[in-house]
Amino acid sequence: MLILDETKIEIAQARKGISNSDLVSKTGLNPGTINSIKKGKRCKPETLHSIAKALDVDPEDLIYVASWELDLQ
C-alpha cells in the first residue's frame, strides 16, 4: 500500500487544468476515495496507476516521500 503526496497531486492537476471532479471522472474513483488519498490514506498500486494515468504523470511522481527517507549524501 502506498501513500500519495497531496501537494504533488494538486500540482499535477493544476498543470493539466484538471479539477477534482474531472479527476473523479477520469479515474472512475469515488470522490471520497480521492479525498481520502489526498489526506494521507494508503492506496493500492492500481489506484495510484489510475490517478497517474489521468494526470499524465509517472506514478512515482505522486508518491509521498518523508524527508528522513531521502538520501541526502
Side-chain angles (χ1 to χ4, degrees), residues 30-45:
N30 180 301
T33 300
I34 299 276
N35 189 46
S36 294
I37 289 168
K38 283 185 166 186
K39 298 300 178 194
K41 182 180 177 194
R42 295 178 182 272
C43 70
K44 297 177 182 176

Side-chain angles (χ1 to χ4, degrees), residues 49-62:
H49 177 77
S50 294
I51 295 170
K53 184 176 178 182
L55 296 173
D56 194 28
V57 297
D58 189 303
E60 188 176 338
D61 293 341
L62 301 177

Side-chain angles (χ1 to χ4, degrees), residues 4-72:
L4 306 188
D5 189 306
E6 178 181 12
T7 302
K8 291 177 181 180
I9 294 171
E10 290 180 354
I11 289 169
Q13 282 182 255
R15 285 186 176 145
K16 293 292 182 183
I18 295 175
S19 68
N20 284 338
S21 59
D22 292 336
L23 187 58
V24 167
S25 295
K26 288 178 174 279
T27 61
L29 297 171
N30 180 301
T33 300
I34 299 276
N35 189 46
S36 294
I37 289 168
K38 283 185 166 186
K39 298 300 178 194
K41 182 180 177 194
R42 295 178 182 272
C43 70
K44 297 177 182 176
E46 52 269 24
T47 303
L48 166 58
H49 177 77
S50 294
I51 295 170
K53 184 176 178 182
L55 296 173
D56 194 28
V57 297
D58 189 303
E60 188 176 338
D61 293 341
L62 301 177
I63 296 173
Y64 173 77
V65 178
S67 59
W68 55 267
E69 294 178 292
L70 296 174
D71 182 9
L72 301 175

